[in-house]
């Protein structure tokens, strides 16, 4: 097989993908060997690319990880550029992955229930970009507390304490773009109107 062919390129990525999936799930080589009946040395050679992947090896691994076989192989649908998204529920939110393969940027569509309106800020490496499709999104980043309307977007450094959710009125539908490199916050939205504190009466 030509080492520069698309098939050879796909097969070359199987090993790193197997290791990435196993590591992400916190599964050791020994535990995977016990679950699949494949020797630890064979699994190790698969992950390092020293062993050619085959169906008899990949099928039990896919079953052990409870993932589709195509997720292990990472083969694109021939002639079809569309992403066949599979919704999942994460922390009470419905999320739809729009980028099927691992990479420096990941796109998602999120549907946030109206009841998820209590701030619970967190921090992590990277940056995030949001675009509101429908509903009203409350976004808190550090000292900023704003509301985004449909058609408005925001991007921020996720190393800052942040949280976003519904304002409590209706569910919110959002596009999310997640990246690894952080940048300081830049929000393309108007701050939420707040009432001015009453000024004290002048002393007499």
């Amino acid at each position: 097989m030509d080492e520069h062919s698309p098939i050879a390129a796909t097969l070359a990525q199987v090993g790193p993908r197997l290791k990435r999936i196993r590591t992400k799930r916190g599964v050791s080589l020994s535990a995977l060997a016990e679950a699949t009946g494949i020797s630890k040395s064979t699994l190790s050679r698969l992950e390092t690319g020293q062993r050619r992947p085959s169906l008899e090896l990949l099928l039990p691994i896919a079953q052990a990880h409870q993932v589709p076989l195509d997720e292990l192989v990472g083969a694109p649908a021939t002639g079809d550029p569309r992403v066949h998204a599979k919704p999942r529920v994460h922390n009470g939110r419905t999320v739809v992955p729009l980028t099927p393969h691992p990479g420096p940027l990941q796109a998602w569509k999120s549907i946030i229930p109206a009841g998820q309106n209590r701030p619970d800020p967190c921090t992590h490496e990277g940056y995030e970009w949001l675009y509101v499709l429908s509903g009203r999104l409350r976004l808190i980043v550090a000292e900023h507390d704003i509301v985004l309307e449909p058609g408005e977007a925001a991007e921020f450094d996720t190393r800052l304490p942040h949280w976003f959710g519904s304002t409590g009125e209706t569910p919110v539908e959002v596009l999310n773009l997640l990246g690894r490199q952080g940048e300081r916050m830049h929000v393309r939205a108007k701050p939420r109107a707040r009432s001015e504190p009453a000024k004290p009466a002048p002393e007499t």
Side-chain angles (χ1 to χ4, degrees), residues 97 99-108 176-179:
T99 43
H101 306 298
L105 292 176
Q106 292 291 301
W108 300 79
N176 309 76
L177 189 65
L178 308 175

Side-chain angles (χ1 to χ4, degrees), residues 51-120:
R51 175 70 181 263
R52 191 184 186 92
S54 64
L55 276 178
E56 65 177 345
L57 294 175
L58 294 180
L59 283 174
I61 295 175
Q63 186 175 13
H65 288 316
Q66 296 185 337
V67 298
L69 182 62
D70 58 0
E71 187 171 330
L72 297 185
V73 179
T78 305
D80 187 353
R82 293 173 296 180
V83 175
H84 301 283
K86 297 179 180 178
R88 65 188 72 167
V89 176
H90 180 68
N91 292 334
R93 304 182 177 191
T94 301
V95 294
V96 183
L98 303 179
T99 43
H101 306 298
L105 292 176
Q106 292 291 301
W108 300 79
K109 184 172 81 169
S110 305
I111 302 172
I112 307 171
Q116 290 207 356
N117 56 7
R118 295 183 180 179
D120 184 19

Side-chain angles (χ1 to χ4, degrees), residues 9-203:
T10 298
L11 290 177
Q13 293 302 313
V14 171
R17 185 174 289 106
L18 291 174
K19 184 174 182 178
R20 186 162 52 243
I21 291 174
R22 179 180 61 79
T23 304
K24 186 177 180 180
R25 284 164 169 74
V27 179
S28 67
L29 277 173
S30 298
L32 186 59
E34 184 176 352
T36 59
I38 302 171
S39 70
K40 183 178 174 180
S41 61
T42 298
L43 291 173
S44 178
R45 292 200 303 273
L46 271 175
E47 291 186 354
T48 57
Q50 298 175 11
R51 175 70 181 263
R52 191 184 186 92
S54 64
L55 276 178
E56 65 177 345
L57 294 175
L58 294 180
L59 283 174
I61 295 175
Q63 186 175 13
H65 288 316
Q66 296 185 337
V67 298
L69 182 62
D70 58 0
E71 187 171 330
L72 297 185
V73 179
T78 305
D80 187 353
R82 293 173 296 180
V83 175
H84 301 283
K86 297 179 180 178
R88 65 188 72 167
V89 176
H90 180 68
N91 292 334
R93 304 182 177 191
T94 301
V95 294
V96 183
L98 303 179
T99 43
H101 306 298
L105 292 176
Q106 292 291 301
W108 300 79
K109 184 172 81 169
S110 305
I111 302 172
I112 307 171
Q116 290 207 356
N117 56 7
R118 295 183 180 179
D120 184 19
C122 66
T123 60
H124 54 84
E125 288 295 324
Y127 73 89
E128 184 160 355
W129 178 88
L130 303 172
Y131 180 84
V132 182
L133 296 170
S134 65
R136 302 177 75 233
L137 181 81
R138 184 182 178 191
L139 172 65
I140 297 175
V141 181
E143 73 278 10
H144 298 266
D145 187 346
I146 63 175
V147 170
L148 300 175
E149 305 284 349
E152 290 187 311
E155 58 181 330
F156 53 90
D157 184 344
T158 56
R159 292 173 297 182
L160 297 170
H162 64 280
W163 172 89
F164 58 87
S166 171
T167 58
E169 303 158 310
T170 61
V172 188
E173 193 172 13
V174 186
L175 285 179
N176 309 76
L177 189 65
L178 308 175
R180 295 175 182 167
Q181 301 302 320
E183 295 178 357
R184 298 300 295 177
M185 189 180 85
H186 175 67
V187 178
R188 302 187 186 93
K190 296 181 180 178
R192 182 177 56 176
R194 295 184 180 180
S195 57
E196 292 287 338
K199 293 181 179 179
E203 296 182 2

